[in-house]
Amino acid sequence: MLKIFKIRPEERWLALVALLFVGMLNALVVAEYFPVLSQPLADYHNLARDTFHISGFDAWTYSILSDWHGWEFNIYRHPLLAVFCFVPFLLNQGLMALTGINCAVPIMALIELFSGFYSVVFLYRILREVIGTGRLDATLLTALFFTFAFIILTVMVPDHFNLSMCLMLICLYIAGRKMGRRRLMTAWQTVLLFFFTAGVSLNNGVKIFLAALFANGRRFFRPRFFLPAVILPAAVMWGIAVLEFQVWAQPLETAAHRKMEARDRFFKDSVYQAFRRQHPEMDSAEVRAGTNKVLKRLAYQQYVRNHAHPKIGRPMSKKGFMAWTDKETDRWRSVVENLFGESIQLHRANLLQDIMKDKRPMIVPYEKDYHYWIEGLLAGLFLAGVFLARRSRFFWLVFSWFAFDMAIYIVLGFGINEVYIMTSQWAFIIPVAMGYLFRDARGWLRGALRAAAGALALYLLVYNGSLILTHLS
């Protein structure tokens, strides 16, 4: 299976450009953040949190590589992500012992370089070998995808999305080749892919099972495949997540709650003492009543401040995973401005602000109409590709992934306030759908499509690239 990572002669020029492109992006991040985040501090987590600032992406991997305990990630959503970071953590510990410098930033940049490089390679292979486009068309569509705003950002920021995208594209390539050769995905292949993809982000495990379902058809439900390849690994992964939470997260969470309760008690006591000094004529009951009024007023003022710029709409339920949903945010505007907007073309207003840390509104409109024309053109090419791909079993696999993500992000509203940071998890359906359009086009139409794709890629590279450089500088 490791043979698929070997670069083929046809791919060498593309691989070289990909290496330089992704390497340059990660070099920018290292140059920006390494001078500050190279300090081997005991409170490194807070330093990374307060220093790193690119949209809604997190820098928790820097914390994990500096002080490995798994607390930074939500364990139920990322069961094995901290475990996968253990070897890089040991490398960083060795380098800190030798140099006295925290090397989390450059180590993470190398991981991002590997993931981004092979994401380019495997998307190109999907277009060439699975869909059957020509070399030029596959190169153009790959270039177009990697000029999308939040794809550029994904391959350079220290979050889990780049690794997740690489693993998803590898899975699509393997499943697509199996379908093309009319072969089945084996149980061990399914388990291995599930282990890595679901370990990085649990919802990706569903996509691996969908890939096996489309590749194997009705054989997917046979007990000799379904039990060892689906039921057993899903149960084991959930058991690992529960165990990790009890061993790692729960003690730290309990300690954090106790610390917050102690801080609240200290604050209330300080308000009580201040009120009593201001009103020495009052007895204890009157002082307590007055203090409660002050605390209620302060709580109301904090509530007003928190809701002056709402970060997320009301959830559908306050229990479990449903607490992360959103039933209020305008879906259509979110699709136009965020899902197919910010994901592909950055907004100049509130450039790369974090909706939680900054005052970025959930919906930011473009200042110029031409941004909507470009968005409409890309959406039109995508829909045309969907129409031509309607008889492709492989495309319906990709579409099932897309539908799953849209059900989570748009229907349920999970992460809808910053849906653009999830671009790398679904947006590859755009070049995949367009691949069928390019493959079947002939004559002047093919030339027009190539010109449109090339112009879009060049525009997005210059536009998004200049704004990202502006933000980093």
Side-chain angles (χ1 to χ4, degrees):
M1 196 171 179
L2 292 177
K3 292 181 180 179
I4 64 174
F5 291 99
K6 182 179 180 180
I7 301 301
R8 299 160 189 171
E10 176 187 319
E11 301 164 346
R12 286 174 183 169
W13 281 108
L14 175 73
L16 177 61
V17 173
L19 187 66
L20 294 174
F21 178 68
V22 180
M24 178 192 68
L25 293 175
N26 280 277
L28 291 173
V29 174
V30 172
E32 177 71 14
Y33 292 108
F34 185 54
V36 177
L37 296 180
S38 61
Q39 305 173 55
L41 300 179
D43 193 19
Y44 190 86
H45 175 76
N46 288 335
L47 176 67
R49 179 197 62 200
D50 297 337
T51 302
F52 185 83
H53 193 176
I54 298 180
S55 190
F57 293 106
D58 295 320
W60 300 155
T61 46
Y62 290 160
S63 303
I64 289 292
L65 298 188
S66 304
D67 183 15
W68 189 84
H69 49 64
W71 168 242
E72 284 77 6
F73 299 116
N74 183 296
I75 288 173
Y76 287 114
R77 289 164 59 188
H78 312 289
L80 295 176
L81 189 51
V83 175
F84 295 154
C85 291
F86 186 64
V87 172
F89 160 76
L90 292 178
L91 174 62
N92 190 32
Q93 294 302 300
L95 291 173
M96 279 197 285
L98 290 173
T99 66
I101 297 173
N102 190 322
C103 297
V105 175
I107 290 174
M108 194 61 211
L110 291 175
I111 297 173
E112 293 296 298
L113 175 60
F114 177 89
S115 301
F117 172 79
Y118 275 105
S119 292
V120 174
V121 171
F122 281 103
L123 178 59
Y124 175 83
R125 288 181 183 175
I126 289 169
L127 294 165
R128 280 285 286 144
E129 300 175 35
V130 178
I131 299 174
T133 62
R135 291 179 63 179
L136 177 59
D137 296 335
T139 302
L140 278 173
L141 291 172
T142 302
L144 176 62
F145 177 71
F146 282 92
T147 57
F148 290 178
F150 271 74
I151 298 302
I152 294 176
L153 293 170
T154 292
V155 301
M156 62 192 289
V157 297
D159 214 319
H160 71 276
F161 294 103
N162 191 12
L163 178 58
S164 184
M165 176 173 67
C166 181
L167 292 168
M168 290 292 95
L169 290 172
I170 291 172
C171 177
L172 280 180
Y173 174 71
I174 293 172
R177 293 288 288 170
K178 293 285 186 181
M179 292 181 197
R181 296 175 179 178
R182 298 186 180 276
R183 294 181 180 177
L184 304 179
M185 283 185 66
T186 63
W188 74 266
Q189 287 174 330
T190 305
V191 170
L192 188 63
L193 289 169
F194 176 84
F195 175 78
F196 284 104
T197 55
V200 172
S201 186
L202 190 61
N203 61 301
N204 287 340
V206 175
K207 298 179 180 180
I208 301 303
F209 295 150
L210 285 170
L213 174 61
F214 275 85
N216 294 7
R218 287 178 294 181
R219 295 181 180 89
F220 174 83
F221 296 102
R222 291 181 177 177
R224 65 181 181 182
F225 180 87
F226 193 75
L227 292 176
V230 179
I231 299 299
L232 181 60
V236 169
M237 186 64 72
W238 185 253
I240 290 173
V242 170
L243 180 63
E244 285 180 329
F245 180 79
Q246 292 176 349
V247 173
W248 276 345
Q250 199 165 44
L252 292 170
E253 192 174 287
T254 301
H257 287 163
R258 288 174 179 170
K259 186 176 181 180
M260 290 178 63
E261 290 172 357
R263 186 177 61 186
D264 289 343
R265 286 195 300 269
F266 176 80
F267 175 73
K268 290 177 181 178
D269 184 65
S270 64
V271 172
Y272 176 85
Q273 296 298 335
F275 190 87
R276 188 172 65 177
R277 286 194 298 270
Q278 293 174 0
H279 303 279
E281 75 283 359
M282 292 184 177
D283 59 26
S284 298
E286 290 174 325
V287 171
R288 280 195 297 272
T291 301
N292 289 335
K293 289 181 180 180
V294 172
L295 291 172
K296 287 179 180 179
R297 185 175 70 250
L298 293 174
Y300 175 75
Q301 291 171 352
Q302 184 63 47
Y303 176 86
V304 171
R305 286 194 296 270
N306 291 342
H307 290 77
H309 300 280
K311 306 300 183 184
I312 191 169
R314 285 188 299 173
M316 297 179 180
S317 172
K318 295 183 179 180
K319 297 180 180 180
F321 285 96
M322 295 301 288
W324 295 325
T325 59
D326 181 330
K327 64 180 180 180
E328 289 186 331
T329 299
D330 188 313
R331 267 41 178 182
W332 173 249
R333 293 188 65 198
S334 183
V335 168
V336 172
E337 301 294 353
N338 291 338
L339 186 74
F340 274 88
E342 178 81 353
S343 298
I344 297 169
Q345 301 176 86
L346 294 173
H347 291 78
R348 290 182 182 273
N350 305 97
L351 178 63
L352 292 177
Q353 288 185 352
D354 187 331
I355 199 169
M356 304 306 292
K357 295 178 181 178
D358 307 312
K359 293 183 179 180
R360 187 192 194 278
M362 285 188 281
I363 304 295
V364 177
Y366 287 109
E367 298 173 347
K368 303 294 184 180
D369 288 342
Y370 72 83
H371 292 292
Y372 298 105
W373 302 342
I374 291 169
E375 185 177 339
L377 173 61
L378 194 60
L381 292 172
F382 167 61
L383 292 175
V386 170
F387 178 77
L388 290 176
R390 67 191 184 280
R391 292 188 178 89
S392 168
R393 189 174 184 180
F394 173 76
F395 175 76
W396 287 113
L397 164 59
V398 182
F399 189 85
S400 72
W401 288 14
F402 174 71
F404 175 72
D405 284 334
M406 293 306 102
I408 293 175
Y409 303 143
I410 303 302
V411 178
L412 294 177
F414 177 85
I416 195 173
N417 58 334
E418 293 180 310
V419 70
Y420 36 81
I421 70 171
M422 272 78 77
T423 303
S424 59
Q425 309 305 288
W426 63 268
F428 43 75
I429 193 175
I430 296 176
V432 166
M434 290 174 63
Y436 291 92
L437 179 61
F438 278 59
R439 185 193 67 183
D440 296 342
R442 296 290 183 271
W444 67 269
L445 180 58
R446 175 177 287 183
L449 290 172
R450 287 172 174 172
L456 281 171
L458 181 61
Y459 159 75
L460 291 173
L461 178 63
V462 173
Y463 175 78
N464 292 324
S466 62
L467 291 179
I468 291 170
L469 285 173
T470 298
H471 177 80
L472 287 176
S473 60

